[in-house]
Amino acid sequence: MICKKVITNIFTVTVLALTAQQFYAQKAVVNREVETNDGKMLLGAQLKDQFVKEPYSEWYTKEFNEYQMDEKAVNELKKNKITAYDLVVFMGTWCEDSHRDFPRLMKILEEVKYPDSRLTIIAVNRKKESPNGEESKYNVSKVPTIIVQKYGKEIGRIIEMPTTGYIERDLVEILKKDDSSVIKEIFKKEN
């Protein structure tokens, strides 16, 4: 009888603790927008639909619509299953390189039917800082930075601008490097 009472009390305390934890847990802020001396700026985690709103749509929509993709590279991305990789994108709504390359990336991802659930967009301020400090975790000092990951491990990244001149070509080169070396490294750590 005492044992049953102890178990009931432990269960009750555990449920109360978990409930309190959920109640006080910080809510993740998405689509944060701040007013600066230069106008509006996005900060932190963003959803892609935020960029088709004013004032960001002024540069986003134009570049998205005018960009001519390298169809051969886009087909390679489909063939190499880019949709099986996670992408983390750091960008600044104040940054000209981001104004050029971020809409281009979004157009490429739309073409390959990339799942939104695998895409993380982090907007940073002029000091390249985000509200939650993700730039430190990923060692980001320039924007835009596009990080390709598989199983939580970085495969490669594009920093500031693509070396080939085309994001889709740089992404193809990154995917070519992923020859199962990530899987070998994961298993090496487990042993």
Side-chain angles (χ1 to χ4, degrees), residues 92-111:
T93 54
W94 47 267
C95 168
E96 288 184 22
D97 290 339
S98 293
H99 288 189
R100 179 192 63 238
D101 288 335
F102 181 73
R104 290 177 179 187
L105 173 65
M106 293 299 101
K107 185 170 186 170
I108 295 161
L109 296 181
E110 185 176 288
E111 181 66 23

Side-chain angles (χ1 to χ4, degrees), residues 94-157:
W94 47 267
C95 168
E96 288 184 22
D97 290 339
S98 293
H99 288 189
R100 179 192 63 238
D101 288 335
F102 181 73
R104 290 177 179 187
L105 173 65
M106 293 299 101
K107 185 170 186 170
I108 295 161
L109 296 181
E110 185 176 288
E111 181 66 23
V112 299
K113 296 178 176 43
Y114 190 82
D116 290 348
S117 61
R118 289 192 165 274
L119 176 64
T120 302
I121 304 166
I122 308 290
V124 297
N125 64 19
R126 290 182 180 278
K127 293 180 179 178
K128 316 282 187 320
E129 299 167 337
S130 64
N132 296 327
E134 295 96 341
E135 74 285 349
S136 295
K137 175 184 173 188
Y138 290 98
N139 194 25
V140 171
S141 59
K142 296 179 179 180
V143 289
T145 294
I146 303 164
I147 302 168
V148 181
Q149 296 181 320
K150 189 170 187 179
Y151 305 121
K153 172 90 174 126
E154 182 174 325
I155 304 300
R157 62 174 61 194

Side-chain angles (χ1 to χ4, degrees), residues 73-82 111-113:
V74 169
N75 287 332
E76 283 290 312
L77 290 175
K78 290 177 184 176
K79 189 175 107 185
N80 290 320
K81 296 184 173 60
I82 189 155
E111 181 66 23
V112 299
K113 296 178 176 43

Side-chain angles (χ1 to χ4, degrees), residues 12 30 32-33 42 49-50 58 61 74 78 81 97 103 115 126 140 148 151-152 162 164-165 174 188:
T12 304
V30 179
R32 179 181 297 175
E33 185 177 57
L42 296 177
D49 63 349
Q50 192 70 353
E58 292 172 19
T61 305
V74 169
K78 290 177 184 176
K81 296 184 173 60
D97 290 339
R126 290 182 180 278
V140 171
V148 181
Y151 305 121
T164 62
I174 290 170
K188 186 171 71 177

Side-chain angles (χ1 to χ4, degrees), residues 155-171:
I155 304 300
R157 62 174 61 194
I158 301 170
I159 302 170
E160 224 170 2
M161 57 181 32
T163 56
T164 62
Y166 289 85
I167 295 169
E168 56 274 35
R169 290 179 187 169
D170 277 25
L171 289 172

